[in-house]
Amino acid sequence: MVAPSVCSSSSSSSDGSSSNTKAWIVHGIVAGVAIAVAVGARAYLGRFGKFRSRVVGIIPARFASSRFHGKPLVHILGKPMIQRTWERAKLAATLDHIVVATDDGKIAECCRGFGAHVIMTSESCRNGTERCNEALQKLEKKYDIVVNIQGDEPLIEPEIIDGVVKALQAAPDAVFSTAVTSLKPEDAFDPNRVKCVVDNRGYAIYFSRGLIPFNKSGEVNPQFPYLLHLGIQSYDSKFLKIYPELQPTPLQLEEDLEQLKVLENGYKMKVIKVDHEAHGVDAPEDVEKIESYMRERNLS
């Protein structure tokens, strides 16, 4: 088949010729737009590949915990808990560097003993996020993402760390990302197990120490997929710098959950769901539970 030419003469009427000409002009414009979109997309993806690319993991640790004094140094099958967390974090592929941020000399000495980079922070830090921010300011290198790795999750999976980093890299409208897993029925009313609800696009709506959502019966609905917050969270480093300047918010203070200050100030938080057996150490009795779990699975 010979393709018709816009310039070729025809025995058809001038109106028909005009219509053909207009049609080809339209096709030309559409093709041009398609090419421009393709070129723009390629350029965007090229930039996107470098978006928030430099990542540091920070493990905030303090000795004077109100719920469990000296928790970071408690031994779990022969190793300090914070060492176990650090060793797991070292396996994450997305982290360029890992540091421990603490205000305590005993924790600092312990961590330097097993090879960790330690940054001393002020005792005035009100939470782990502020401690991460202070540590970030003291680092010589600049980073785009800071991952707050909870020191009381000694079995944290490196894939979860990588997951929250990639989630924040893929969501330019979010300043924060975190992870959740399925909530066990026996943990439904435990205030140390923080629950989460998300919207249809995977952004956080709310976190609570109480069961959410809460139905009229006041009982756990075995058919509902309740979510447990795992605690690990990553921040855009620019946002982290302004976080301490944000005033405490009513919901944050009532629930004692620092991530609520982010939501109450209108910022977006991306949430990923993972399959993970949560083994956070919130109280002294949790140590025996996690050691039993590790023995059963031959985890050293």
Side-chain angles (χ1 to χ4, degrees), residues 85 88 153-157 276-277 279 290 293-294 299:
T85 303
R88 298 292 290 174
E153 275 274 354
L155 295 182
I156 184 69
E157 295 169 8
H276 175 68
E277 282 278 344
H279 294 286
I290 199 169
Y293 177 89
M294 292 174 69
L299 300 174

Side-chain angles (χ1 to χ4, degrees), residues 30 60 66 136 145 162 180 186 196 203 209 220 235:
V30 170
S66 58
L136 177 66
I145 290 178
D162 292 336
V180 296
E186 59 265 31
C196 175
Y203 290 89
R209 295 187 181 279
V220 176
Y235 326 93

Side-chain angles (χ1 to χ4, degrees), residues 4-21 24:
S5 170
V6 173
C7 299
S8 64
S9 61
S10 171
S11 61
S12 61
S13 67
S14 60
D15 287 344
S17 177
S18 176
S19 296
N20 286 337
T21 301
W24 278 100

Side-chain angles (χ1 to χ4, degrees), residues 101-253:
T102 185
D103 60 0
D104 184 81
K106 293 184 288 296
I107 292 175
E109 182 181 2
C110 171
C111 293
R112 291 188 182 111
F114 59 74
H117 177 191
V118 177
I119 293 181
M120 298 304 296
T121 54
S122 169
E123 294 181 0
S124 64
C125 294
R126 292 170 291 184
N127 50 51
T129 303
E130 291 190 7
R131 198 171 302 282
C132 284
N133 175 58
E134 184 178 336
L136 177 66
Q137 308 312 313
K138 293 182 176 181
L139 286 170
E140 293 181 2
K141 292 185 178 179
K142 301 299 180 184
Y143 295 94
D144 305 307
I145 290 178
V146 177
V147 186
N148 180 343
I149 302 167
Q150 302 295 309
D152 57 7
E153 275 274 354
L155 295 182
I156 184 69
E157 295 169 8
E159 293 81 8
I160 295 178
I161 296 173
D162 292 336
V164 296
V165 170
K166 291 175 182 177
L168 191 56
Q169 289 172 332
D173 59 339
V175 298
F176 192 119
S177 65
T178 190
V180 296
T181 192
S182 297
L183 177 73
K184 295 178 181 178
E186 59 265 31
D187 291 333
F189 299 105
D190 184 346
N192 291 321
R193 298 292 188 250
V194 176
K195 294 80 177 176
C196 175
V197 286
V198 301
D199 67 16
N200 291 334
R201 297 177 59 226
Y203 290 89
I205 297 174
Y206 193 66
F207 296 84
S208 180
R209 295 187 181 279
L211 182 64
I212 51 173
F214 192 76
N215 60 52
K216 291 190 293 185
S217 73
E219 298 178 355
V220 176
N221 177 1
Q223 305 303 316
F224 191 86
Y226 298 101
L227 299 175
L228 171 70
H229 184 221
L230 293 180
I232 184 170
Q233 43 211 28
S234 70
Y235 326 93
D236 180 280
S237 61
K238 295 184 182 67
F239 169 74
L240 184 58
K241 290 177 183 178
I242 69 170
Y243 176 87
E245 299 172 8
L246 300 174
Q247 292 300 308
T249 54
L251 296 175
Q252 173 202 3
L253 295 173

